[in-house]
């Protein structure tokens, strides 16, 4: 291609005469230096790509009128191999390793892994695709009763399944306490009354109440025992037996006793049965004892309440009991007393004493008046001053105590203070233990022995709290 142009040099490069400033001749996407142009204006055609040429990749055509970019897909459609730095067409051979088998069927290649040996701890063994875990047994038998996993394997507990011969020795639960079955036992190992016929349990114990003629389960006559014919009822308080007539309980007696002097059955007693064989059945009035001269055994007569001399008597004669003194409490009425020659004082001085709430003792012989100091008995209360005292019916102080009137403690903020003063009628004073300013807060009289103290903000220093009773 032979193209002739006239050029001239400008500030922006060489321009074609007759063209605008934007028509700078370029090739290959950049401005061409002047040295690349023919001085006669001819251009080298090899420096340009015609628009009519196309590029086809994997069946898709692209024109070269603009820049193109392509992304190679991940799929490998063909492999080439050869010496380093050169590529030639050829086949690729896949060599299997020790644990891999390679097979091809047509265009399909199959990679198959073979057995692989692994190692594991805690009793687990992996060999190829086979896993094994140690199993131990506990007990004996033909059935598994439980499985326990341990760090070294699995423990299987074994037991025995009853055989038909074993089951033949047992009674089914469905037959227990049922008709055509077997009787059950209660907590004491006995057949309960509900599984016995009524005539088996035909003796009942309780308490017969004479007032209403009824039988009860308790001595307090609370719960009735219903009467039934064909049964015997024993009253536990006297062991008497009764029977039910259908309307009332009747006492059962045959006239016989268990035993009398070794005799049983219906017994007719005579004097020989009870050791009276020598008794002649003679009345006392007809016996010769009325004419006896004296008693076979001497007796003694004494008097009580007075001072007297005891006397013996044998029936042979009368006796007199001398009385030497009679207490004044037994004397009534008046009597004349001869005081002639009476003593001026008692022969033997007497001591007069008083005991109880006070002690007093003095000696008196009648010759003169006497006095003695009376000492009050101690009540057990030590001498002193008490805020509270206890007085008995005789006006004596038998107890005393001093009740606490105030309680002081220190707090650092909102707190509950237990003062144990026993009263809500109290004064509460608080002050800062550092600045000694009086502190105010919200005070709640929780109960007679405690107050709750609240503050709106934190306290800078500990606060002294004094609670004082006002009702003392």
């Amino acid at each position: 291609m032979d193209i002739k142009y006239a050029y001239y040099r400008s500030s922006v490069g060489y321009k074609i005469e007759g063209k605008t400033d934007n028509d700078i001749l370029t090739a290959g996407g950049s401005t061409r230096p002047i040295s690349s142009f023919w001085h006669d204006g001819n251009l080298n055609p090899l420096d340009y790509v015609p628009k009519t040429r196309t590029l086809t990749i994997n069946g898709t055509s692209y024109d070269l009128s603009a820049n193109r970019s392509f992304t190679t897909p991940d799929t490998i459609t063909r492999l080439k191999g050869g010496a380093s730095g050169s590529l030639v067409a050829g086949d690729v051979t896949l060599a299997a390793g020790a644990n891999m088998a390679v097979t091809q069927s047509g265009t399909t290649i199959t990679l198959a892994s073979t057995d692989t040996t692994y190692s594991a701890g805690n009793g687990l063994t992996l060999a190829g695709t086979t896993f094994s875990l140690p199993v131990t047994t506990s007990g004996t038998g033909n059935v598994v009763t439980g499985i326990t996993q341990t760090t070294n394997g699995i423990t299987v507990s074994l037991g025995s399944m009853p055989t038909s011969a074993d089951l033949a020795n047992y009674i089914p639960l469905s037959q227990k306490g049922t008709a055509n079955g077997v009787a059950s036992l209660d907590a004491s190992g006995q057949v309960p009354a509900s599984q016995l016929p009524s005539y088996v349990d035909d003796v009942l114990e309780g308490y017969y109440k004479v007032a209403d003629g009824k039988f009860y389960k308790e001595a307090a006559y609370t719960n009735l025992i219903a009467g039934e014919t064909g049964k015997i009822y024993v009253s536990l308080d006297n062991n008497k037996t009764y029977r039910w007539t259908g309307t009332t309980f009747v006492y059962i007696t045959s006239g016989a006793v268990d035993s009398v002097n070794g005799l049983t059955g219906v017994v007719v007693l005579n004097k020989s049965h009870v050791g009276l064989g020598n008794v002649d059945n003679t009345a006392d009035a007809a016996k010769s004892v009325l004419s006896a001269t004296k008693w076979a055994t001497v007796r003694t007569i004494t008097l009580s309440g007075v001072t007297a001399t005891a006397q013996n008597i044998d029936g042979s004669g009368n006796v007199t009991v001398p009385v030497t003194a009679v207490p004044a409490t037994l004397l009534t009425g008046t009597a004349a007393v001869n005081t002639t020659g009476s003593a001026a004082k008692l022969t033997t001085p007497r001591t007069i004493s008083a005991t109880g709430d006070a002690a007093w003792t003095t000696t008196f012989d009648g010759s003169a008046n006497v006095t003695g100091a009376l000492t009050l008995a101690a009540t057990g209360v030590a001498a002193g001053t008490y805020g509270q005292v206890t007085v008995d019916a005789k006006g004596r102080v038998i107890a005393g105590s001093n009740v606490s009137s105030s309680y002081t403690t220190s707090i650092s903020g909102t707190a509950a203070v237990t003062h144990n003063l026993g009263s809500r009628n109290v004064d509460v004073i608080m002050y800062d233990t550092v600045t000694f300013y009086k502190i105010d807060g919200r005070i709640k009289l929780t109960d007679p022995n405690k107050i709750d103290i609240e503050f709106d903000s934190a306290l800078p220093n500990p606060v002294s709290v004094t609670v004082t009773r006002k009702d003392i």
Side-chain angles (χ1 to χ4, degrees):
M1 180 172 59
D2 189 10
I3 302 175
K4 296 181 181 293
Y5 291 100
Y7 299 90
Y8 68 92
R9 186 173 183 177
S10 67
S11 61
V12 296
Y14 288 90
K15 298 175 60 178
I16 301 174
E17 187 175 3
K19 300 295 182 179
T20 65
D21 291 341
N22 295 326
D23 292 330
I24 298 174
L25 183 64
T26 60
S30 63
T31 302
R32 297 282 295 177
I34 190 61
S35 59
S36 64
F37 292 93
W38 298 99
H39 294 287
D40 58 357
N42 292 324
L43 299 177
N44 185 355
L46 298 177
D47 295 331
Y48 298 89
V49 179
K51 294 184 178 179
T52 58
R53 296 292 178 91
T54 60
L55 176 64
T56 302
I57 300 176
N58 290 336
T60 301
S61 299
Y62 303 92
D63 64 53
L64 304 179
S65 62
N67 295 330
R68 303 291 180 178
S69 60
F70 304 95
T71 301
T72 302
D74 293 336
T75 303
I76 298 176
T77 58
R78 188 172 183 181
L79 297 177
K80 295 181 179 181
S84 176
S86 64
L87 297 175
V88 297
D91 296 330
V92 176
T93 301
L94 299 179
N99 301 315
M100 183 69 68
V102 181
T103 59
Q104 180 176 356
S105 175
T107 59
T108 301
I109 297 175
T110 301
L111 305 178
S113 61
T114 59
D115 288 350
T116 302
T117 300
Y118 306 90
S119 62
N122 293 336
L124 177 64
T125 301
L126 306 177
T129 58
T130 301
F131 296 79
S132 63
L133 191 63
V135 178
T136 59
T137 59
S138 175
T140 58
N142 53 11
V143 295
V144 176
T145 60
I147 297 177
T148 303
Q149 181 177 347
T150 65
T151 57
N152 295 320
I154 296 176
T155 299
V156 179
S157 299
L158 301 179
S160 299
M161 178 69 72
T163 63
S164 299
D166 295 331
L167 296 177
N169 296 323
Y170 294 89
I171 299 174
L173 291 176
S174 58
Q175 297 183 16
K176 182 180 178 181
T178 61
N180 296 321
V182 295
S184 59
L185 300 178
D186 59 17
S188 60
Q190 298 179 348
V191 178
S194 59
Q195 298 180 26
L196 296 173
S198 61
Y199 59 81
V200 174
D201 190 19
D202 56 0
V203 176
L204 298 179
E205 294 181 334
Y207 296 87
Y208 180 73
K209 187 176 181 181
V210 179
D212 59 9
K214 297 180 180 179
F215 250 91
Y216 295 85
K217 294 181 180 180
E218 308 89 358
Y221 308 121
T222 303
N223 296 304
L224 282 172
I225 297 178
E228 296 182 53
T229 58
K231 292 189 176 183
I232 296 176
Y233 299 82
V234 179
S235 185
L236 296 176
D237 53 354
N238 55 21
N239 289 325
K240 290 185 177 181
T241 58
Y242 299 80
R243 66 179 179 84
W244 176 250
T245 65
T247 58
T248 184
F249 289 97
V250 178
Y251 173 61
I252 301 174
T253 179
S254 63
V257 295
D258 291 338
S259 175
V260 176
N261 197 29
L263 302 175
T264 60
V266 179
V267 178
V268 178
L269 294 177
N270 55 45
K271 60 184 181 181
S272 62
H273 292 151
V274 293
L276 299 177
N278 296 325
V279 177
D280 56 7
N281 295 330
T282 301
D284 289 342
K287 292 181 179 179
S288 60
V289 293
L290 294 177
S291 60
T293 59
K294 64 179 182 179
W295 301 338
T297 302
V298 177
R299 304 299 180 184
T300 299
I301 299 177
T302 60
L303 298 179
S304 61
V306 297
T307 302
T309 303
Q311 300 295 314
N312 294 329
I313 184 173
D314 61 3
S316 61
N318 298 328
V319 296
T320 300
V321 178
V323 176
T324 58
V326 177
T329 55
L330 299 179
L331 300 177
T332 60
T334 60
V337 179
N338 184 5
T339 61
T340 302
S342 59
K345 64 178 183 179
L346 300 175
T347 303
T348 302
R350 300 299 178 185
T351 299
I352 303 174
S353 302
T355 59
D357 295 335
W360 173 76
T361 300
T362 187
T363 302
F364 177 72
D365 61 3
S367 62
N369 297 330
V370 295
T371 60
L374 180 66
T375 303
L376 295 176
T379 63
V381 180
T385 302
Y386 299 94
Q388 291 183 343
V389 295
T390 302
V391 181
D392 64 8
K394 299 178 180 179
R396 299 179 306 163
V397 175
I398 60 175
S401 62
N402 290 314
V403 180
S404 298
S405 60
S406 67
Y407 172 79
T408 301
T409 187
S410 179
I411 61 176
S412 299
T414 297
V417 176
T418 301
H419 52 73
N420 293 326
L421 298 180
S423 174
R424 285 190 172 91
N425 190 15
V426 297
D427 282 330
V428 181
I429 299 176
M430 298 183 291
Y431 65 88
D432 190 299
T433 58
V434 177
T435 65
F436 298 103
Y437 282 111
K438 184 178 179 181
I439 303 296
D440 292 324
R442 290 189 298 276
I443 299 173
K444 178 181 178 183
L445 303 176
T446 307
D447 59 43
N449 292 308
K450 187 174 71 172
I451 61 174
D452 290 334
I453 304 176
E454 297 178 352
F455 300 98
D456 293 331
S457 61
L459 298 176
N461 303 305
V463 171
S464 175
V465 179
T466 299
V467 184
T468 305
R469 288 185 59 175
K470 297 194 297 183
D471 54 1
I472 296 180

